[in-house]
Amino acid sequence: IRRCSQCGADTTTTFRWCTRCKLAVYCGRECQKSAWSTHKPVCKAATREECMTLVDACNDQGLPPLQRVCVVERLLTLRAGAPPRAVAAMHNTAGNLYQDLGQLERGLHHLTAAVDLAEQIGDMVHLCKTHGNLAGVYNALGQYDRCLHHVSKNLEIATQIGDV
């Protein structure tokens, strides 16, 4: 299920992608036109630095998750050369935003990518946080055995790094 980046309506039958960035999806021309003023800077951001500035602006302005997720997805497309820790953090943020939007499978995709990267680079803090976030998604999905696994991993890592 895709949701309109502007109004949040279900777009399972018909939808319009932003033809430039291919990240935002809209239920119709009206929503696409009304979203352009906030989507334009995201769509036209050419560098990772520009996107990071947009992420900060999104957090400061309190933009809704549908618009913030477009910023994070755009940032992930520009991740070439980004430190692995930053990419893991971006995936974690995207996973949380998708969870907030009820798109749990997409959230799992990003959170799993964040765990993989955090494990590769040995970033125990991000690994701990991401296992906690994964536990929340699996709980929402009713997959309590997986939820418990990630809660256990979260607690184990928190104990190792002294964050209990």
Side-chain angles (χ1 to χ4, degrees):
I1 297 175
R2 300 210 181 271
R3 300 207 182 278
C4 176
S5 298
Q6 178 65 15
C7 71
D10 180 1
T11 59
T12 56
T13 55
T14 60
F15 57 90
R16 301 172 60 97
W17 289 100
C18 173
T19 56
R20 182 182 179 132
C21 71
K22 310 284 192 269
L23 295 173
V25 64
Y26 302 100
C27 61
R29 184 165 173 72
E30 297 78 27
C31 275
Q32 189 172 14
K33 285 179 77 173
S34 64
W36 182 241
S37 64
T38 55
H39 179 66
K40 182 178 178 180
V42 175
C43 190
K44 292 189 172 191
T47 66
R48 208 173 56 250
E49 291 75 21
E50 289 174 1
C51 278
M52 289 304 290
T53 301
L54 288 171
V55 169
D56 292 340
C58 283
N59 292 332
D60 292 344
Q61 295 172 11
L63 290 178
L66 286 164
Q67 292 178 9
R68 289 191 343 241
V69 80
C70 285
V71 173
V72 174
E73 289 281 7
R74 179 71 173 147
L75 189 54
L76 285 167
T77 65
L78 300 170
R79 70 179 184 232
R85 181 170 285 138
V87 176
M90 289 180 239
H91 277 296
N92 197 17
T93 299
N96 290 336
L97 288 169
Y98 280 120
Q99 182 181 5
D100 291 346
L101 294 169
Q103 297 181 23
L104 301 177
E105 295 300 326
R106 290 184 84 179
L108 282 176
H109 165 76
H110 284 287
L111 292 172
T112 302
V115 164
D116 291 344
L117 278 169
E119 284 177 342
Q120 286 174 15
I121 62 173
D123 185 345
M124 300 305 281
V125 172
H126 272 106
L127 190 58
C128 183
K129 288 179 184 179
T130 307
H131 276 294
N133 293 335
L134 278 166
V137 173
Y138 282 118
N139 184 56
L141 287 169
Q143 296 180 18
Y144 304 116
D145 56 333
R146 289 185 176 190
C147 174
L148 183 58
H149 166 77
H150 289 288
V151 167
S152 297
K153 292 294 284 182
N154 172 269
L155 184 57
E156 175 187 322
I157 296 167
T159 302
Q160 285 177 1
I161 63 175
D163 191 26
V164 179

